[in-house]
Amino acid sequence: MKIRTGFGYDVHQLQEGLPFWLGGIQVPHTHGALGHSDADVLIHVICDALLGAANLRDIGFHFPDTDPQYKGIDSKRLLAEVMRLLRAKGYSIGNIDSTICLEAPKVNPHIAEMQRVLAEVMGIPEDDISIKATTTEKLGFVGKREGVAAYASVLIMQP
């Protein structure tokens, strides 16, 4: 069995009046993430980690922000395509471990729903998706509520 790991990191600026998509769900908040797609930072890091683990480059290579077809796209569609690419190479997911860095809103009340939605999109058990949240203790752009950051590590396997 071949086992590989991948890592993803992404940041998005927060802007007042935008919808805030995180982990495939819309989280109620006064600010949302700014981006070419729906700017779902959690899905983006998961995509990058999976693509990297399978040596399939990165999210920007497959879904460039210069391509108008991805303007405002639901990131769940990008994740579904990443899963198709992964399975085409014979890989399955062992687990995903992710961390969202955000001062507000509180993420913890939304984690179970994010796990449910992501598991459905990826066709894997909810238990294989760990989502954690932290603040930066008011330090940096996250601490000043100017942006959101996320990290993910993944384990993929090929028989």
Side-chain angles (χ1 to χ4, degrees), residues 52-117:
N55 196 20
L56 289 169
R57 307 224 16 200
D58 61 35
I59 193 171
F61 176 79
H62 292 277
F63 316 108
D65 63 7
T66 54
D67 190 331
Q69 74 175 312
Y70 302 117
K71 179 71 177 158
I73 194 168
D74 182 338
S75 291
K76 292 187 293 292
R77 291 180 55 198
L78 306 181
L79 182 57
E81 176 60 14
V82 167
M83 291 304 299
R84 188 193 67 74
L85 293 169
L86 204 69
R87 289 186 176 118
K89 283 190 82 171
Y91 287 106
S92 62
I93 294 175
N95 75 300
I96 297 168
D97 185 27
S98 63
T99 302
I100 302 162
C101 302
L102 185 66
E103 293 292 325
K106 292 296 181 194
V107 174
N108 194 43
H110 307 286
I111 288 176
E113 180 67 6
M114 289 180 199
Q115 287 172 306
R116 187 193 66 72
V117 168

Side-chain angles (χ1 to χ4, degrees), residues 122-141:
M122 292 187 282
I124 64 173
E126 291 176 36
D127 194 50
D128 290 346
I129 305 168
S130 168
I131 301 171
K132 304 176 304 296
T134 190
T135 68
T136 59
E137 302 296 331
K138 301 187 176 157
L139 297 174
F141 70 89

